[in-house]
Amino acid sequence: MANLGTTQRIPTSFKPSSLTTTASEPKGPHEKPFADFKFYCPINIPLTAEAAASRIVRNLGNLGLYYTLFIWIILFITLIPCRKVSLILLVIMTYVTTVYCLILRSFPNSVLLHRIIDKRVILSLLFIATAIQLILTDAGIHFAVTMTCSVPVVLLHAVLWASSCEFSYETEEEGSRKEELAPLTSGHNDSEAQNSDAV
């Protein structure tokens, strides 16, 4: 309403140098991270059998929790329709295993839990107890079919996944200092470093 009766004129003279940018001007700070962007595919085929075996061992150590969760979800889904008792026993054993893992995380400096008692032995015994409970409750066929179908998929992923712990997501901070973010999984070197720091 204040501009009522006024007209705006389009300027006839303009400076073309102010509207166009030259190639020598520095790029903005938001364009710098995209200049260093590289696409990396972590899936590839190992060249030798030794490389495949070492990759399987490394990936089973680093991604074992995810592989176990994948197999557990498939077994859980197959037991839902008709094996209610087996499903309850599977959930109970999962709860026991989770409590054991939480105890291991709660006491990282315990010599009894980490040195004397090997956690692989305890986890293997829990797996065997779960398998026996499933067999005794007539869910052995479900267990066998689940393991037969899911273990090859897990092994195939372990062979083809090139680097599970080598990814380092880095962020630029002040100056040129780089800070590494937390890895997806904790490797054996991380736990050894924590134990050495604690001593």
Side-chain angles (χ1 to χ4, degrees):
M1 298 302 285
N3 293 334
L4 185 63
T6 61
T7 59
Q8 295 180 352
R9 294 183 182 171
I10 298 173
T12 57
S13 64
F14 63 94
K15 296 179 181 178
S17 61
S18 63
L19 296 177
T20 59
T21 58
T22 59
S24 62
E25 290 184 11
K27 295 182 178 180
H30 62 281
E31 296 180 10
K32 189 173 181 181
F34 297 108
D36 297 333
F37 180 75
K38 295 177 183 176
F39 181 74
Y40 178 71
C41 181
I43 303 291
N44 65 12
I45 299 173
L47 299 176
T48 62
E50 291 83 12
S54 66
R55 188 180 290 180
I56 288 174
V57 170
R58 185 186 67 220
N59 286 335
L60 286 177
N62 292 333
L63 301 174
L65 176 64
Y66 300 105
Y67 294 149
T68 305
L69 187 61
F70 172 72
I71 296 172
W72 185 88
I73 288 172
I74 294 174
L75 183 60
F76 186 84
I77 291 172
T78 57
L79 291 176
I80 286 175
C82 55
R83 300 291 177 203
K84 305 295 183 186
V85 177
S86 303
L87 185 64
I88 292 171
L89 290 175
L90 177 66
V91 170
I92 290 172
M93 293 306 293
T94 304
Y95 179 75
V96 171
T97 306
T98 305
V99 169
Y100 174 70
C101 292
L102 288 175
I103 290 172
L104 287 178
R105 297 281 296 201
S106 299
F107 303 101
N109 298 328
S110 174
V111 177
L112 176 66
L113 292 175
H114 294 281
R115 302 283 184 188
I116 298 174
I117 302 174
D118 191 4
K119 68 178 179 180
R120 290 174 289 189
V121 174
I122 301 297
L123 293 175
S124 300
L125 290 175
L126 289 170
F127 174 77
I128 292 170
T130 304
I132 290 173
Q133 288 177 358
L134 292 175
I135 291 171
L136 292 178
T137 55
D138 297 330
I141 295 175
H142 296 84
F143 180 72
V145 169
T146 301
M147 296 300 290
T148 304
C149 296
S150 59
V151 168
V153 175
V154 166
L155 290 178
L156 181 65
H157 182 272
V159 168
L160 295 179
W161 189 255
S163 58
S164 61
C165 60
E166 295 171 4
F167 294 129
S168 62
Y169 299 98
E170 297 176 345
T171 57
E172 294 275 344
E173 285 195 342
E174 302 106 347
S176 61
R177 196 169 67 91
K178 294 183 178 179
E179 178 185 359
E180 185 173 334
L181 298 178
L184 183 63
T185 58
S186 61
H188 301 291
N189 296 332
D190 297 339
S191 61
E192 291 175 0
Q194 290 176 353
N195 291 335
S196 64
D197 292 341
V199 174

